[in-house]
Amino acid sequence: MNPGAPPWLVVAGSETGVAAWPEGQSNPRITAYHAGTNIAGYDDKVSWCSSFVHWCLGRAGVAGTGSALARSWLDWGEPLDTPRPGCIAVLWRETPDSWKGHVGFYLRHDAQQVWLLGGNQLGAVCENAYRVDCVLAYRWPKAIDG
């Protein structure tokens, strides 16, 4: 991880490889990510990208949304016109006006793709690329310079 990375991104990076377990089992680490959200106690079979972001921020002393919905992050913190490493990237899924989404920590982008470090990406905490045109917003915690 980059030495200047925000503390929550360092936390997220340390969780790389945490993955959902097969049917009939549940990874207790992912269940722990749900603590403090509106789905506390749920297993690793529900969407957990938002819970992961919330958990990482909490470990760094930053309050999250308390919601397991990815799009809840659209109303959190402050909007960024230009993304910076560690900011929250909120993406749409299925259609831009759907309630469904995805959220993760921004790493970098090019003209076609944005790379995020996040949970529930290919069933695990990992880096993954998404279409850049699926990004709805980049957000940064209020009152934290970076």
Side-chain angles (χ1 to χ4, degrees), residues 90-129:
V90 185
L91 287 66
W92 59 266
R93 281 192 307 131
E94 294 184 5
T95 65
D97 57 352
S98 166
W99 63 271
K100 296 179 181 180
H102 182 66
V103 65
F105 298 108
Y106 171 88
L107 298 173
R108 64 189 179 284
H109 73 278
D110 63 22
Q112 287 83 35
Q113 296 183 305
V114 59
W115 282 264
L116 306 182
L117 174 60
N120 204 24
Q121 298 188 159
L122 308 173
V125 175
C126 66
E127 183 178 321
N128 197 35

mmCIF file of all heavy atoms in Angstrom, residues 90-129:
data_model
loop_
_atom_site.group_PDB
_atom_site.id
_atom_site.type_symbol
_atom_site.label_atom_id
_atom_site.label_comp_id
_atom_site.label_asym_id
_atom_site.label_seq_id
_atom_site.Cartn_x
_atom_site.Cartn_y
_atom_site.Cartn_z
ATOM 1 N N VAL A 90 -18.936 5.064 -5.751
ATOM 2 C CA VAL A 90 -20.273 4.470 -5.766
ATOM 3 C C VAL A 90 -20.646 4.211 -7.216
ATOM 4 O O VAL A 90 -20.599 5.134 -8.047
ATOM 5 C CB VAL A 90 -21.319 5.407 -5.113
ATOM 6 C CG1 VAL A 90 -22.669 4.718 -5.033
ATOM 7 C CG2 VAL A 90 -20.851 5.862 -3.729
ATOM 8 N N LEU A 91 -21.007 2.967 -7.508
ATOM 9 C CA LEU A 91 -21.333 2.559 -8.872
ATOM 10 C C LEU A 91 -22.773 2.081 -8.966
ATOM 11 O O LEU A 91 -23.333 1.608 -7.976
ATOM 12 C CB LEU A 91 -20.421 1.414 -9.328
ATOM 13 C CG LEU A 91 -18.969 1.730 -9.653
ATOM 14 C CD1 LEU A 91 -18.188 2.169 -8.439
ATOM 15 C CD2 LEU A 91 -18.308 0.519 -10.274
ATOM 16 N N TRP A 92 -23.345 2.184 -10.150
ATOM 17 C CA TRP A 92 -24.669 1.609 -10.371
ATOM 18 C C TRP A 92 -24.508 0.182 -10.890
ATOM 19 O O TRP A 92 -23.483 -0.169 -11.462
ATOM 20 C CB TRP A 92 -25.513 2.448 -11.322
ATOM 21 C CG TRP A 92 -24.973 2.691 -12.704
ATOM 22 C CD1 TRP A 92 -24.235 3.774 -13.102
ATOM 23 C CD2 TRP A 92 -25.146 1.888 -13.871
ATOM 24 N NE1 TRP A 92 -23.943 3.682 -14.443
ATOM 25 C CE2 TRP A 92 -24.491 2.530 -14.943
ATOM 26 C CE3 TRP A 92 -25.786 0.672 -14.120
ATOM 27 C CZ2 TRP A 92 -24.460 2.002 -16.232
ATOM 28 C CZ3 TRP A 92 -25.756 0.145 -15.406
ATOM 29 C CH2 TRP A 92 -25.096 0.811 -16.435
ATOM 30 N N ARG A 93 -25.542 -0.620 -10.605
ATOM 31 C CA ARG A 93 -25.636 -1.979 -11.159
ATOM 32 C C ARG A 93 -26.973 -2.091 -11.871
ATOM 33 O O ARG A 93 -27.958 -1.504 -11.449
ATOM 34 C CB ARG A 93 -25.588 -3.046 -10.064
ATOM 35 C CG ARG A 93 -24.224 -3.346 -9.552
ATOM 36 C CD ARG A 93 -24.162 -4.606 -8.692
ATOM 37 N NE ARG A 93 -25.114 -4.622 -7.595
ATOM 38 C CZ ARG A 93 -25.924 -5.646 -7.321
ATOM 39 N NH1 ARG A 93 -25.936 -6.718 -8.060
ATOM 40 N NH2 ARG A 93 -26.740 -5.585 -6.302
ATOM 41 N N GLU A 94 -27.004 -2.866 -12.918
ATOM 42 C CA GLU A 94 -28.176 -3.114 -13.766
ATOM 43 C C GLU A 94 -28.548 -1.884 -14.580
ATOM 44 O O GLU A 94 -28.420 -1.896 -15.783
ATOM 45 C CB GLU A 94 -29.357 -3.643 -12.967
ATOM 46 C CG GLU A 94 -29.108 -5.026 -12.391
ATOM 47 C CD GLU A 94 -30.302 -5.610 -11.674
ATOM 48 O OE1 GLU A 94 -31.390 -5.002 -11.689
ATOM 49 O OE2 GLU A 94 -30.143 -6.696 -11.097
ATOM 50 N N THR A 95 -29.020 -0.818 -13.933
ATOM 51 C CA THR A 95 -29.327 0.438 -14.637
ATOM 52 C C THR A 95 -28.945 1.599 -13.722
ATOM 53 O O THR A 95 -28.954 1.460 -12.501
ATOM 54 C CB THR A 95 -30.826 0.560 -14.993
ATOM 55 O OG1 THR A 95 -31.585 0.638 -13.790
ATOM 56 C CG2 THR A 95 -31.292 -0.611 -15.851
ATOM 57 N N PRO A 96 -28.654 2.764 -14.298
ATOM 58 C CA PRO A 96 -28.277 3.907 -13.460
ATOM 59 C C PRO A 96 -29.344 4.336 -12.461
ATOM 60 O O PRO A 96 -29.018 4.864 -11.411
ATOM 61 C CB PRO A 96 -28.013 5.032 -14.475
ATOM 62 C CG PRO A 96 -27.653 4.320 -15.733
ATOM 63 C CD PRO A 96 -28.486 3.060 -15.728
ATOM 64 N N ASP A 97 -30.610 4.090 -12.761
ATOM 65 C CA ASP A 97 -31.670 4.510 -11.839
ATOM 66 C C ASP A 97 -32.181 3.378 -10.946
ATOM 67 O O ASP A 97 -33.119 3.566 -10.190
ATOM 68 C CB ASP A 97 -32.825 5.171 -12.595
ATOM 69 C CG ASP A 97 -33.422 4.282 -13.671
ATOM 70 O OD1 ASP A 97 -32.866 3.196 -13.950
ATOM 71 O OD2 ASP A 97 -34.456 4.674 -14.247
ATOM 72 N N SER A 98 -31.547 2.223 -10.993
ATOM 73 C CA SER A 98 -31.891 1.111 -10.100
ATOM 74 C C SER A 98 -31.466 1.444 -8.671
ATOM 75 O O SER A 98 -30.602 2.282 -8.450
ATOM 76 C CB SER A 98 -31.159 -0.158 -10.564
ATOM 77 O OG SER A 98 -31.200 -1.168 -9.581
ATOM 78 N N TRP A 99 -32.038 0.772 -7.701
ATOM 79 C CA TRP A 99 -31.609 0.940 -6.317
ATOM 80 C C TRP A 99 -30.315 0.169 -6.063
ATOM 81 O O TRP A 99 -29.637 0.389 -5.074
ATOM 82 C CB TRP A 99 -32.694 0.475 -5.341
ATOM 83 C CG TRP A 99 -33.009 -0.990 -5.438
ATOM 84 C CD1 TRP A 99 -33.940 -1.574 -6.249
ATOM 85 C CD2 TRP A 99 -32.382 -2.064 -4.724
ATOM 86 N NE1 TRP A 99 -33.925 -2.949 -6.080
ATOM 87 C CE2 TRP A 99 -32.983 -3.265 -5.143
ATOM 88 C CE3 TRP A 99 -31.365 -2.127 -3.763
ATOM 89 C CZ2 TRP A 99 -32.607 -4.516 -4.652
ATOM 90 C CZ3 TRP A 99 -30.996 -3.370 -3.271
ATOM 91 C CH2 TRP A 99 -31.617 -4.549 -3.712
ATOM 92 N N LYS A 100 -29.967 -0.716 -6.976
ATOM 93 C CA LYS A 100 -28.794 -1.573 -6.792
ATOM 94 C C LYS A 100 -27.510 -0.834 -7.135
ATOM 95 O O LYS A 100 -27.498 0.038 -8.006
ATOM 96 C CB LYS A 100 -28.912 -2.826 -7.647
ATOM 97 C CG LYS A 100 -30.072 -3.699 -7.251
ATOM 98 C CD LYS A 100 -30.161 -4.908 -8.129
ATOM 99 C CE LYS A 100 -31.353 -5.751 -7.725
ATOM 100 N NZ LYS A 100 -31.455 -6.939 -8.579
ATOM 101 N N GLY A 101 -26.448 -1.193 -6.445
ATOM 102 C CA GLY A 101 -25.172 -0.558 -6.704
ATOM 103 C C GLY A 101 -24.011 -1.367 -6.160
ATOM 104 O O GLY A 101 -24.166 -2.504 -5.719
ATOM 105 N N HIS A 102 -22.867 -0.756 -6.212
ATOM 106 C CA HIS A 102 -21.650 -1.336 -5.648
ATOM 107 C C HIS A 102 -20.825 -0.180 -5.100
ATOM 108 O O HIS A 102 -20.906 0.953 -5.598
ATOM 109 C CB HIS A 102 -20.858 -2.094 -6.709
ATOM 110 C CG HIS A 102 -19.622 -2.744 -6.166
ATOM 111 N ND1 HIS A 102 -19.662 -3.775 -5.254
ATOM 112 C CD2 HIS A 102 -18.307 -2.478 -6.374
ATOM 113 C CE1 HIS A 102 -18.429 -4.126 -4.944
ATOM 114 N NE2 HIS A 102 -17.586 -3.345 -5.600
ATOM 115 N N VAL A 103 -20.037 -0.461 -4.077
ATOM 116 C CA VAL A 103 -19.198 0.564 -3.472
ATOM 117 C C VAL A 103 -17.847 -0.048 -3.102
ATOM 118 O O VAL A 103 -17.769 -1.222 -2.723
ATOM 119 C CB VAL A 103 -19.897 1.196 -2.237
ATOM 120 C CG1 VAL A 103 -20.091 0.192 -1.128
ATOM 121 C CG2 VAL A 103 -19.178 2.429 -1.753
ATOM 122 N N GLY A 104 -16.810 0.736 -3.280
ATOM 123 C CA GLY A 104 -15.471 0.292 -2.919
ATOM 124 C C GLY A 104 -14.543 1.487 -2.836
ATOM 125 O O GLY A 104 -14.944 2.639 -3.040
ATOM 126 N N PHE A 105 -13.288 1.203 -2.546
ATOM 127 C CA PHE A 105 -12.278 2.250 -2.412
ATOM 128 C C PHE A 105 -11.542 2.436 -3.737
ATOM 129 O O PHE A 105 -10.974 1.495 -4.284
ATOM 130 C CB PHE A 105 -11.290 1.893 -1.305
ATOM 131 C CG PHE A 105 -11.924 1.788 0.047
ATOM 132 C CD1 PHE A 105 -12.084 0.554 0.659
ATOM 133 C CD2 PHE A 105 -12.384 2.922 0.705
ATOM 134 C CE1 PHE A 105 -12.670 0.457 1.912
ATOM 135 C CE2 PHE A 105 -12.977 2.828 1.946
ATOM 136 C CZ PHE A 105 -13.122 1.589 2.554
ATOM 137 N N TYR A 106 -11.561 3.658 -4.222
ATOM 138 C CA TYR A 106 -10.919 4.005 -5.484
ATOM 139 C C TYR A 106 -9.405 3.827 -5.388
ATOM 140 O O TYR A 106 -8.772 4.252 -4.415
ATOM 141 C CB TYR A 106 -11.251 5.467 -5.830
ATOM 142 C CG TYR A 106 -10.467 6.008 -6.992
ATOM 143 C CD1 TYR A 106 -10.922 5.852 -8.299
ATOM 144 C CD2 TYR A 106 -9.271 6.689 -6.784
ATOM 145 C CE1 TYR A 106 -10.203 6.362 -9.369
ATOM 146 C CE2 TYR A 106 -8.544 7.199 -7.844
ATOM 147 C CZ TYR A 106 -9.012 7.028 -9.131
ATOM 148 O OH TYR A 106 -8.290 7.529 -10.182
ATOM 149 N N LEU A 107 -8.833 3.211 -6.433
ATOM 150 C CA LEU A 107 -7.385 3.067 -6.537
ATOM 151 C C LEU A 107 -6.827 3.876 -7.708
ATOM 152 O O LEU A 107 -5.870 4.621 -7.558
ATOM 153 C CB LEU A 107 -6.997 1.592 -6.698
ATOM 154 C CG LEU A 107 -7.367 0.672 -5.534
ATOM 155 C CD1 LEU A 107 -7.076 -0.775 -5.895
ATOM 156 C CD2 LEU A 107 -6.611 1.091 -4.268
ATOM 157 N N ARG A 108 -7.450 3.712 -8.891
ATOM 158 C CA ARG A 108 -6.975 4.402 -10.100
ATOM 159 C C ARG A 108 -8.015 4.199 -11.200
ATOM 160 O O ARG A 108 -8.946 3.412 -11.044
ATOM 161 C CB ARG A 108 -5.607 3.859 -10.540
ATOM 162 C CG ARG A 108 -5.643 2.405 -10.950
ATOM 163 C CD ARG A 108 -4.239 1.835 -11.179
ATOM 164 N NE ARG A 108 -4.299 0.435 -11.542
ATOM 165 C CZ ARG A 108 -4.527 -0.569 -10.698
ATOM 166 N NH1 ARG A 108 -4.716 -0.326 -9.410
ATOM 167 N NH2 ARG A 108 -4.556 -1.817 -11.112
ATOM 168 N N HIS A 109 -7.812 4.909 -12.316
ATOM 169 C CA HIS A 109 -8.693 4.709 -13.462
ATOM 170 C C HIS A 109 -7.967 5.066 -14.756
ATOM 171 O O HIS A 109 -6.922 5.708 -14.736
ATOM 172 C CB HIS A 109 -9.978 5.543 -13.330
ATOM 173 C CG HIS A 109 -9.790 7.005 -13.536
ATOM 174 N ND1 HIS A 109 -9.330 7.843 -12.544
ATOM 175 C CD2 HIS A 109 -9.976 7.785 -14.625
ATOM 176 C CE1 HIS A 109 -9.255 9.073 -13.018
ATOM 177 N NE2 HIS A 109 -9.634 9.076 -14.276
ATOM 178 N N ASP A 110 -8.542 4.606 -15.858
ATOM 179 C CA ASP A 110 -8.124 5.047 -17.182
ATOM 180 C C ASP A 110 -9.392 5.448 -17.929
ATOM 181 O O ASP A 110 -10.443 5.636 -17.303
ATOM 182 C CB ASP A 110 -7.282 3.984 -17.913
ATOM 183 C CG ASP A 110 -8.023 2.684 -18.200
ATOM 184 O OD1 ASP A 110 -9.288 2.680 -18.241
ATOM 185 O OD2 ASP A 110 -7.356 1.661 -18.421
ATOM 186 N N ALA A 111 -9.344 5.566 -19.212
ATOM 187 C CA ALA A 111 -10.501 6.044 -19.973
ATOM 188 C C ALA A 111 -11.690 5.076 -19.926
ATOM 189 O O ALA A 111 -12.835 5.504 -20.030
ATOM 190 C CB ALA A 111 -10.107 6.303 -21.422
ATOM 191 N N GLN A 112 -11.430 3.798 -19.752
ATOM 192 C CA GLN A 112 -12.506 2.809 -19.775
ATOM 193 C C GLN A 112 -12.849 2.194 -18.424
ATOM 194 O O GLN A 112 -13.982 1.766 -18.210
ATOM 195 C CB GLN A 112 -12.154 1.639 -20.727
ATOM 196 C CG GLN A 112 -12.238 1.975 -22.197
ATOM 197 C CD GLN A 112 -10.978 2.664 -22.701
ATOM 198 O OE1 GLN A 112 -9.887 2.363 -22.262
ATOM 199 N NE2 GLN A 112 -11.137 3.610 -23.616
ATOM 200 N N GLN A 113 -11.878 2.089 -17.540
ATOM 201 C CA GLN A 113 -12.095 1.342 -16.304
ATOM 202 C C GLN A 113 -11.656 2.112 -15.065
ATOM 203 O O GLN A 113 -10.757 2.949 -15.123
ATOM 204 C CB GLN A 113 -11.339 0.008 -16.353
ATOM 205 C CG GLN A 113 -11.845 -0.917 -17.439
ATOM 206 C CD GLN A 113 -11.129 -2.245 -17.400
ATOM 207 O OE1 GLN A 113 -9.902 -2.311 -17.449
ATOM 208 N NE2 GLN A 113 -11.899 -3.310 -17.303
ATOM 209 N N VAL A 114 -12.298 1.755 -13.955
ATOM 210 C CA VAL A 114 -11.907 2.245 -12.644
ATOM 211 C C VAL A 114 -11.589 1.015 -11.799
ATOM 212 O O VAL A 114 -12.324 0.022 -11.836
ATOM 213 C CB VAL A 114 -13.017 3.121 -12.007
ATOM 214 C CG1 VAL A 114 -14.327 2.383 -11.842
ATOM 215 C CG2 VAL A 114 -12.555 3.708 -10.685
ATOM 216 N N TRP A 115 -10.471 1.064 -11.080
ATOM 217 C CA TRP A 115 -10.066 -0.046 -10.231
ATOM 218 C C TRP A 115 -10.405 0.287 -8.793
ATOM 219 O O TRP A 115 -10.052 1.357 -8.291
ATOM 220 C CB TRP A 115 -8.571 -0.325 -10.365
ATOM 221 C CG TRP A 115 -8.234 -1.071 -11.603
ATOM 222 C CD1 TRP A 115 -8.067 -2.418 -11.733
ATOM 223 C CD2 TRP A 115 -7.989 -0.518 -12.901
ATOM 224 N NE1 TRP A 115 -7.763 -2.727 -13.036
ATOM 225 C CE2 TRP A 115 -7.706 -1.581 -13.778
ATOM 226 C CE3 TRP A 115 -8.007 0.784 -13.415
ATOM 227 C CZ2 TRP A 115 -7.428 -1.400 -15.119
ATOM 228 C CZ3 TRP A 115 -7.737 0.980 -14.768
ATOM 229 C CH2 TRP A 115 -7.451 -0.108 -15.593
ATOM 230 N N LEU A 116 -11.100 -0.646 -8.155
ATOM 231 C CA LEU A 116 -11.497 -0.489 -6.757
ATOM 232 C C LEU A 116 -10.916 -1.606 -5.923
ATOM 233 O O LEU A 116 -10.773 -2.736 -6.381
ATOM 234 C CB LEU A 116 -13.021 -0.530 -6.617
ATOM 235 C CG LEU A 116 -13.854 0.421 -7.457
ATOM 236 C CD1 LEU A 116 -15.328 0.236 -7.131
ATOM 237 C CD2 LEU A 116 -13.419 1.856 -7.252
ATOM 238 N N LEU A 117 -10.627 -1.289 -4.667
ATOM 239 C CA LEU A 117 -10.343 -2.286 -3.652
ATOM 240 C C LEU A 117 -11.608 -2.353 -2.824
ATOM 241 O O LEU A 117 -12.059 -1.331 -2.290
ATOM 242 C CB LEU A 117 -9.149 -1.874 -2.784
ATOM 243 C CG LEU A 117 -8.840 -2.790 -1.595
ATOM 244 C CD1 LEU A 117 -8.533 -4.213 -2.061
ATOM 245 C CD2 LEU A 117 -7.693 -2.223 -0.787
ATOM 246 N N GLY A 118 -12.199 -3.528 -2.747
ATOM 247 C CA GLY A 118 -13.463 -3.614 -2.029
ATOM 248 C C GLY A 118 -13.817 -5.024 -1.645
ATOM 249 O O GLY A 118 -13.145 -5.987 -2.011
ATOM 250 N N GLY A 119 -14.910 -5.119 -0.899
ATOM 251 C CA GLY A 119 -15.447 -6.403 -0.483
ATOM 252 C C GLY A 119 -16.538 -6.856 -1.437
ATOM 253 O O GLY A 119 -17.164 -6.042 -2.117
ATOM 254 N N ASN A 120 -16.739 -8.151 -1.469
ATOM 255 C CA ASN A 120 -17.736 -8.767 -2.345
ATOM 256 C C ASN A 120 -17.451 -8.444 -3.809
ATOM 257 O O ASN A 120 -18.350 -8.229 -4.607
ATOM 258 C CB ASN A 120 -19.154 -8.355 -1.957
ATOM 259 C CG ASN A 120 -20.188 -9.367 -2.409
ATOM 260 O OD1 ASN A 120 -19.886 -10.531 -2.609
ATOM 261 N ND2 ASN A 120 -21.413 -8.916 -2.580
ATOM 262 N N GLN A 121 -16.196 -8.394 -4.135
ATOM 263 C CA GLN A 121 -15.746 -8.255 -5.517
ATOM 264 C C GLN A 121 -15.232 -9.624 -5.920
ATOM 265 O O GLN A 121 -14.243 -10.095 -5.348
ATOM 266 C CB GLN A 121 -14.653 -7.182 -5.643
ATOM 267 C CG GLN A 121 -15.157 -5.812 -5.231
ATOM 268 C CD GLN A 121 -14.201 -4.668 -5.503
ATOM 269 O OE1 GLN A 121 -14.641 -3.550 -5.578
ATOM 270 N NE2 GLN A 121 -12.903 -4.905 -5.636
ATOM 271 N N LEU A 122 -15.935 -10.274 -6.828
ATOM 272 C CA LEU A 122 -15.626 -11.666 -7.188
ATOM 273 C C LEU A 122 -15.703 -12.563 -5.953
ATOM 274 O O LEU A 122 -14.969 -13.539 -5.827
ATOM 275 C CB LEU A 122 -14.259 -11.775 -7.863
ATOM 276 C CG LEU A 122 -14.034 -10.842 -9.053
ATOM 277 C CD1 LEU A 122 -12.595 -10.916 -9.543
ATOM 278 C CD2 LEU A 122 -15.010 -11.172 -10.181
ATOM 279 N N GLY A 123 -16.592 -12.197 -5.009
ATOM 280 C CA GLY A 123 -16.808 -12.988 -3.798
ATOM 281 C C GLY A 123 -15.764 -12.808 -2.718
ATOM 282 O O GLY A 123 -15.747 -13.565 -1.743
ATOM 283 N N ALA A 124 -14.896 -11.825 -2.867
ATOM 284 C CA ALA A 124 -13.795 -11.669 -1.911
ATOM 285 C C ALA A 124 -13.421 -10.192 -1.765
ATOM 286 O O ALA A 124 -13.926 -9.333 -2.480
ATOM 287 C CB ALA A 124 -12.573 -12.454 -2.393
ATOM 288 N N VAL A 125 -12.505 -9.934 -0.838
ATOM 289 C CA VAL A 125 -11.861 -8.623 -0.752
ATOM 290 C C VAL A 125 -10.704 -8.670 -1.741
ATOM 291 O O VAL A 125 -9.794 -9.488 -1.604
ATOM 292 C CB VAL A 125 -11.340 -8.321 0.666
ATOM 293 C CG1 VAL A 125 -10.569 -7.002 0.680
ATOM 294 C CG2 VAL A 125 -12.468 -8.300 1.681
ATOM 295 N N CYS A 126 -10.793 -7.834 -2.764
ATOM 296 C CA CYS A 126 -9.742 -7.826 -3.777
ATOM 297 C C CYS A 126 -9.830 -6.536 -4.581
ATOM 298 O O CYS A 126 -10.739 -5.729 -4.405
ATOM 299 C CB CYS A 126 -9.875 -9.031 -4.716
ATOM 300 S SG CYS A 126 -11.363 -9.035 -5.739
ATOM 301 N N GLU A 127 -8.873 -6.377 -5.458
ATOM 302 C CA GLU A 127 -8.889 -5.292 -6.426
ATOM 303 C C GLU A 127 -9.616 -5.803 -7.661
ATOM 304 O O GLU A 127 -9.391 -6.924 -8.104
ATOM 305 C CB GLU A 127 -7.448 -4.917 -6.765
ATOM 306 C CG GLU A 127 -7.309 -3.764 -7.697
ATOM 307 C CD GLU A 127 -5.853 -3.399 -7.961
ATOM 308 O OE1 GLU A 127 -5.036 -3.446 -7.025
ATOM 309 O OE2 GLU A 127 -5.556 -3.063 -9.116
ATOM 310 N N ASN A 128 -10.498 -4.970 -8.216
ATOM 311 C CA ASN A 128 -11.223 -5.364 -9.414
ATOM 312 C C ASN A 128 -11.516 -4.125 -10.255
ATOM 313 O O ASN A 128 -11.646 -3.027 -9.721
ATOM 314 C CB ASN A 128 -12.532 -6.079 -9.044
ATOM 315 C CG ASN A 128 -13.104 -6.870 -10.206
ATOM 316 O OD1 ASN A 128 -12.381 -7.440 -11.011
ATOM 317 N ND2 ASN A 128 -14.416 -6.913 -10.289
ATOM 318 N N ALA A 129 -11.609 -4.313 -11.556
ATOM 319 C CA ALA A 129 -11.894 -3.219 -12.481
ATOM 320 C C ALA A 129 -13.376 -3.214 -12.854
ATOM 321 O O ALA A 129 -13.993 -4.272 -13.020
ATOM 322 C CB ALA A 129 -11.042 -3.357 -13.733
#
